[in-house]
Amino acid sequence: MSKLIVANWKMEMAHMEAIEWLHEDYPEVRITADNSPHELVICPSFTELSYATEHFFEDQWGAQNCGTYPLGPFTGEVSAISLAEMGVFHVIVGHSERRELGETNEMIKGKIESLLPQFINPIVCIGETLEQRESYKEVLFKQLEVLIEPYTKADISPIIAYEPIWAIGSGKTPKENQLEEVVNYIKEVTAELKPSVLYGGSVMPGIAKRFSPLVDGYLVGSASLNPELLKKIILSC
Ligand code: PGA
């Protein structure tokens, strides 16, 4: 079954290194993805997005964030409209690293409402901390309930990335039965929206293989910076 593999490069590479990656490594990674049934979306920083969309305009690219409002006096923000005009098809929204900086569920709702009219797919990140593990349902419910209205209005299915915060960059991952329980809960809460559910948090080729029957794809952080690992992840799904 086809999976969606989203590479979240975060702010791990500076401009010249990221351009070199795109120039040198991307074509081979692309061939691996094209020869697989899976869809690959790389999310570089804003500074590399126009290079990517101009040089590889036939492929799908993603951004790591966007402004809460469509246009206006918001210094330093990047509009969903600009991203759409650049040919960006996906935007990661509500990553825990941004929530930690103060992004609220209401702001995330605003971002989703800015993106959907531009025909950009938000990849909405949700997840609980280790301390919240016992009460994960309560935490995830609050993160999920803001999706209902914008997606019902737009009549489109969301892409939800479940990323337990304790699994991000830690090498730790949930057990299959734990992940299955959470994915079922997400699907229960958002049943009417028929979401695709991705998993994120220390994804490596072995995890991609093991979790494949449980999820619709992956949000990959650090392993996506290494072209060989990224190719292995694509081949393992
Ligand atoms: P990781 O990051 O794969 O490095 O754990 C995932 C993410 O934060 O999206």
Side-chain angles (χ1 to χ4, degrees), residues 55-187:
H55 284 76
F56 306 100
F57 56 87
E58 289 180 345
D59 302 334
Q60 295 204 16
W61 295 93
Q64 298 173 21
N65 185 27
C66 74
T68 308
Y69 303 100
L71 287 172
F74 303 105
T75 305
E77 295 292 289
V78 173
S79 160
I81 299 173
S82 301
L83 294 172
E85 287 178 358
M86 279 169 68
V88 168
F89 283 98
H90 299 268
V91 173
I92 299 171
V93 169
H95 193 282
S96 62
E97 288 156 9
R98 298 210 56 83
R99 289 179 189 265
E100 230 170 83
L101 294 173
E103 208 163 274
T104 63
N105 286 322
E106 276 311 306
M107 287 162 79
I108 289 158
K109 186 177 176 195
K111 290 179 189 213
I112 294 167
E113 286 170 341
S114 298
L115 291 165
L116 292 181
Q118 303 306 321
F119 304 103
I120 295 181
N121 273 317
I123 294 163
V124 187
C125 301
I126 61 167
E128 81 289 349
T129 62
L130 201 53
E131 295 73 47
Q132 294 166 334
R133 184 84 195 99
E134 295 289 297
S135 55
Y136 79 87
K137 288 190 177 175
E138 222 172 279
V139 177
L140 299 189
F141 185 84
K142 287 208 181 90
Q143 297 172 343
L144 288 168
E145 68 180 349
V146 293
L147 310 188
I148 310 287
E149 195 193 314
Y151 281 99
T152 308
K153 255 194 212 158
D155 196 19
I156 174 177
S157 294
I159 302 172
I160 298 169
Y162 170 59
E163 299 202 298
I165 296 168
W166 49 271
I168 296 175
S170 66
K172 293 189 186 125
T173 54
K175 297 199 170 62
E176 275 102 323
N177 63 337
Q178 286 175 318
L179 179 60
E180 190 175 12
E181 188 187 311
V182 179
V183 171
N184 286 342
Y185 178 69
I186 294 168
K187 289 194 168 162

Side-chain angles (χ1 to χ4, degrees), residues 8 10 95 97 163 167-170 200-203 219-223:
N8 176 12
K10 310 192 181 185
H95 193 282
E97 288 156 9
E163 299 202 298
I168 296 175
S170 66
S202 299
V203 172
L219 182 52
V220 189
S222 58

